[in-house]
Amino acid sequence: MSRILNGIKVIDFTEGHMGSYGTMILADFGAEVIKIEDAKTGGDVIRSRAPKNEKGSAYHAYLNRGKKSVCVDRHTDEGRKIILDLIAEADVVCDCFPAGELERCGLGYEAACKVKPDIIYTSHTGFGKSGPLSNTAGSNLTAEAVTGLLDVTGHDGSVPTTHGSRIADQFGNLFFVIGIVGALLVRDETGEGQVVDVASCDSMFTALEDILIEELMTGKIYIREGNASRSIAPYDTFEVKDGYVSTAVSTNAQWEKFCEVMGFPEYADDPRFNSNDNRGENYDEILFHIINDRFKDMTRDEIENLLRPLNIPSGPTLTVEEAIGSEQINHRNMVVELTDAALGTLKMPGMNIKLSGEPDEPAASAPLLGGDTFDILSMAGYSQEEIRTLQAKGIVKDAGGEK
């Protein structure tokens, strides 16, 4: 079945998480994503990253599913020529390196434009390709730290706390894909390519959302609130008999329903709680304890069964194990099974963008290191003799050895 990015060819220099999740999405939707890897360094660093076993990395199998791998030394003249030959037939180039890395190899935007004038040249880096930090390596933790996200996460009085997952890189990857697809649409309209520059740092700065807007508008310094909200109350996580449950009451209409079903209708019109502002002002000292006392003798399911029919957001705080087995996650096909070239049968997260005209399964498994070198170079016009000569020099490597 055709996928929406069939016919789009991507030359992919990304490594690790940064950029790789974005190019995985492109591959899921049918783009031909060709990873450029260096056999001398073991290829993409994520090939050796946990979780893994003696056969390979499950993390690599996930983030690089559906891609192809070409092993070529970009630091040599012959390797550079090979890559430029591949770029000449491509639509998009992707990288995750600090500013200047590919330029030093003679593979920057200007060099790419000479062989493909309408190329879309894209990057997902820690700090972007400009600014005082652009030539330094970034990380998810660094992006959370320098944008203030660490400082606003956790409870009042706690130390700055990182998010439980790599949210900066994940956010950046999604904006990375949006930028690429947008640039492809512009190219279709104008015939011109362009540079797409996405930074995890920028992405985390926008993720501050209303915290950032309020400080820009009023200068008010945000104080960590844990799981609660400054603008909505109750919006929190409460302990119950069998764990924790979250609930969010956003409107006065929801508040009235919440009070009725929870057995304290007298609070619906109480002047301390009859608006979001009033509920927020009286939340920590009064309202939290009212709700907490009611919830502590109930189970997660009992609360959800009361609130869900009223369309009041509520949900149990599941463990990762519980989430993997949950009816909602599995109904949405968010746990899929693939046969990976290195690891065999493997479960991993599914596709979280659902399109009615698209398959709901990843396109293929992740590649072996250099597993497509021979085939890709052959299609690019290199003869078998030329490829064998390049192999003998150590310029390229094929996972299957000489053919």
Side-chain angles (χ1 to χ4, degrees), residues 231-263:
S231 57
I232 301 172
Y235 181 104
D236 210 340
T237 301
F238 301 91
E239 188 170 5
V240 295
K241 289 171 66 175
D242 58 347
Y244 292 86
V245 68
S246 66
T247 190
V249 178
S250 304
T251 67
N252 288 340
Q254 285 183 340
W255 172 245
E256 292 173 3
K257 295 177 182 178
F258 181 82
C259 291
E260 185 67 33
V261 76
M262 285 297 153

Side-chain angles (χ1 to χ4, degrees), residues 92-96 120-124 176 179-180 194-197:
V92 181
V93 174
C94 298
D95 86 89
C96 64
I120 294 167
Y121 202 93
T122 69
S123 66
H124 174 197
F176 185 52
I180 291 169
Q194 61 183 297
V195 173
V196 176
D197 180 4

